[in-house]
């Protein structure tokens, strides 16, 4: 499964991508909502795992834009904040 990981925290992206790779998936890293959106437009993934709070386009805004490009794209939004 090709999984796009979008988060402004590079350590989180690296760790998540490492775990996904070990589990047999093909992770793709993006560090901003804008970068994630560009990837979806260019080569849509099977799934997106994305942080909610990011500078620029936040996760919710980015998800809405991604779904205009790929309407049925599965997206899970995560946050470190309670």
């Amino acid at each position: 499964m090709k999984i796009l990981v979008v988060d402004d925290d590079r350590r989180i992206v690296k760790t998540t991508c490492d775990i996904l790779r070990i589990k047999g998936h093909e992770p793709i890293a993006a560090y901003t909502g804008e970068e994630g959106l560009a990837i979806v437009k260019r080569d849509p993934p099977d799934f997106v795992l994305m942080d909610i709070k990011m500078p620029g386009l936040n996760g919710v805004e980015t998800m809405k834009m991604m779904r205009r490009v790929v309407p049925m794209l599965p997206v899970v939004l995560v946050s470190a904040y309670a």
Side-chain angles (χ1 to χ4, degrees):
M1 195 174 203
K2 185 167 50 172
I3 301 174
L4 175 61
V5 180
V6 187
D7 197 315
D8 59 310
D9 185 328
R10 290 182 176 271
R11 292 173 301 160
I12 296 291
V13 172
K14 182 186 179 326
T15 301
T16 304
C17 286
D18 288 346
I19 292 167
L20 291 171
R21 197 171 293 107
I22 288 168
K23 294 295 184 180
H25 300 288
E26 179 186 339
I28 303 162
Y31 305 102
T32 65
E34 294 86 353
E35 185 180 358
L37 181 59
I39 291 168
V40 168
K41 287 179 177 178
R42 184 176 63 244
D43 184 22
D46 299 309
F47 183 83
V48 178
L49 182 61
M50 181 164 43
D51 188 19
I52 293 174
K53 289 191 169 244
M54 295 183 288
L57 283 177
N58 68 38
V60 175
E61 294 167 333
T62 304
M63 177 187 68
K64 289 177 182 177
M65 294 175 151
M66 286 176 172
R67 289 226 171 118
R68 286 187 202 128
V69 177
V70 183
M72 299 304 290
L73 180 64
V75 177
V76 171
L77 297 174
V78 296
S79 179
Y81 299 97

